[in-house]
Amino acid sequence: MHDGNVSGQRFFLVGIGGSGMMPLAMILRGRGAIVAGSDRGLDQGRVTPKFDGLRALGVELFAQDGSGVTAPDQIVVASAAVEETVADMVAATRIGCRRMSRAELNAALFNAAVQPIGVAGTSGKSTVTGMIATILHHAGRDPTVMNGAVMKDFASADRPFASALVGQGDPYVSEVDESDGSIALYRPQVAVLNNVSLDHKSLDELNRLFGDFIGHARVAVVNADNADAARLAMALPPGRVTRFSLTDTSADLLATDLDAAPFAIRFTLVAGGQRTPVALGVPGRHNVANALAAIGAAVAAGLPLEQAVAGVERFTGLRRRFDFLGEAGSIAVIDDFGHNPDKIAATLDTLHAFPGRVIALFQPHGYGPLKVMRAELAAMFATHLHADDLLVLPDPVYQGGTVAREVTSADVVQDVTLAGGHALHIPDRAAAAAHCVAQARPGDRIVVMGARDDTLSLLAAEMVERLRDR
């Protein structure tokens, strides 16, 4: 396993349907490993298509009751969130299986690659990873890509869950998560640092983790518009940093003359004295920054600038990242992964760049995160919602287990209302969605936001159908 060769090795993935586990299962299968797994969602009968997709790849699925962990030569892989009391983990301990965290396994594959390209930062990771994937794929580099989101460019009827690419080429592109500290395991040749903001850990700790990460790289591609990222880059020799910016004319990659459309954006790229027009198929200033990061990474990986630009222009987006699902009666429905204040603000700003009211249905992704982010969430909604917008919050995602419900959706709604915003708490999600549909009028944009719940996309798609039936 140290050389990244997993052919013929046996792996058992606990929580195999998770956004970080599923692409890993695909990569392991693509490299000839024997893969099995379990998932709580499967036991509860939720979201079966993705499990069908795994079975089609030759992955054997088991109930999460320990029945799949039977042999000492199985390497049992679980994310940091899986408790030791889960039956599969108990079985692994009893039998003496080798254990790896999801991050340890991904980092081992990544570090063994000829050209590891790591994408870090609090937000934009999945998009930048997807953009780099599209660029390298169209340049014939045949990359392996580990993404936490489904890349629409590679999704098809027979492969609806394309959150990974399995290639034979040198590049291994992966988003790298700082939330559990596992970023310290990665040794990138090319490191992207999109932005640093308070999401999971204290800023001091984040700065140390991100600083070490870019310090390992031959080239670090860094967002000069983010104060913390820019400061971290200053610790490196100038020859090892590519700075990108939407404002700083001294940056290596500068985007200027932004020209936004509802679902696209154009800009001029100024690099090395030359000006290149770029037309993106995804909207918003934040995606201009993401595109600069991806172009910088592709050039650092040896591609000519023109080829990097041509590739990023072919990027059609990620599922659930400002994903336009359809419209009816001049009312658009957008499915979005926004769940922390930065991401939600970026989505609202992208929508508000054009006329029309926003109706936002936001499902918090748990009671714990809600408690941590309450003040920031309320302040962000108060500033980024317009006077005639409507915010509807159902209760947070709850998937079993004991949880302290100290802060609820009602508390956030109260905070936003006190700050002058128009917000409602409708505990039942289906009722909340029905209210949004009932309130919508021509010119409105309905955006469904939240994380850690695959059924939100189905809900958003149902809302399009409801609008058509009105």
Side-chain angles (χ1 to χ4, degrees), residues 17 39 41-42 44-51 161 319-320 325 333-337 361 363-365 394-399 428-430 433 448-464:
D39 197 276
L42 186 68
Q44 294 169 357
R46 286 187 288 130
V47 216
T48 45
K50 72 179 171 189
F51 295 116
F161 297 98
R319 203 155 290 153
R320 302 224 54 227
L325 293 189
V333 178
I334 293 143
D335 181 24
D336 191 71
F337 188 71
L361 177 113
Q363 174 180 271
H365 62 291
D395 286 338
V397 178
Y398 174 64
Q399 291 175 345
D428 177 68
R429 195 178 75 176
V448 175
M449 291 191 282
R452 285 199 202 151
D453 187 339
D454 296 312
T455 61
L456 277 169
S457 298
L458 305 174
L459 182 81
E462 281 165 17
M463 289 167 86
V464 178

Side-chain angles (χ1 to χ4, degrees), residues 99-325:
R99 297 260 297 272
M100 291 182 91
S101 70
R102 188 198 75 78
E104 283 167 348
L105 176 55
N106 186 47
L109 294 167
F110 179 90
N111 294 342
V114 179
Q115 190 175 55
I117 302 170
V119 181
T122 322
S123 45
K125 288 191 288 288
S126 302
T127 298
V128 173
T129 301
M131 286 175 167
I132 296 171
T134 300
I135 295 169
L136 294 177
H137 173 79
H138 286 295
R141 291 289 178 100
D142 197 19
T144 293
V145 181
M146 164 83 197
N147 201 329
V150 173
M151 299 175 277
K152 294 204 287 193
D153 293 352
F154 303 105
S156 57
D158 58 329
R159 230 186 32 172
F161 297 98
S163 54
L165 281 187
V166 184
Q168 304 304 313
D170 291 349
Y172 189 109
V173 187
S174 180
E175 60 170 285
V176 175
D177 186 17
E178 77 288 348
S179 64
D180 56 3
S182 64
I183 185 172
L185 302 170
Y186 292 82
R187 295 292 177 269
Q189 269 186 29
V190 177
V192 176
L193 183 54
N194 228 23
N195 47 44
V196 179
S197 67
L198 192 58
D199 195 5
H200 302 290
K201 291 190 173 326
S202 74
L203 271 179
D204 289 344
E205 194 178 351
L206 281 183
N207 282 327
R208 186 177 52 74
L209 288 167
F210 285 135
D212 289 349
F213 175 72
I214 61 174
H216 292 303
R218 185 176 50 75
V219 181
V221 182
V222 179
N223 183 356
D225 295 340
N226 178 266
D228 286 281
R231 198 174 63 246
L232 291 172
M234 286 171 69
L236 299 178
R240 284 176 46 201
V241 182
T242 300
R243 296 166 66 251
F244 64 88
S245 173
L246 275 65
T247 55
D248 181 350
T249 52
S250 74
D252 303 288
L253 298 169
L254 171 70
T256 181
D257 309 329
L258 274 62
D259 176 16
F263 294 101
I265 192 162
R266 294 172 174 272
F267 64 94
T268 301
L269 172 63
V270 183
Q274 52 183 120
R275 298 171 68 86
T276 310
V278 184
L280 295 180
V282 287
R285 282 178 70 88
H286 60 293
N287 275 321
V288 174
N290 289 336
L292 294 179
I295 290 166
V299 171
L303 259 59
L305 187 75
E306 297 70 36
Q307 208 170 17
V309 168
V312 85
E313 289 188 324
R314 300 178 76 153
F315 177 73
T316 60
L318 302 177
R319 203 155 290 153
R320 302 224 54 227
R321 303 303 195 275
F322 204 89
D323 192 356
F324 174 66
L325 293 189

Side-chain angles (χ1 to χ4, degrees), residues 364-383:
H365 62 291
Y367 286 94
L370 201 54
K371 183 184 174 185
V372 174
M373 293 192 277
R374 173 181 179 173
E376 282 180 278
L377 268 176
M380 179 276 305
F381 278 126
T383 22

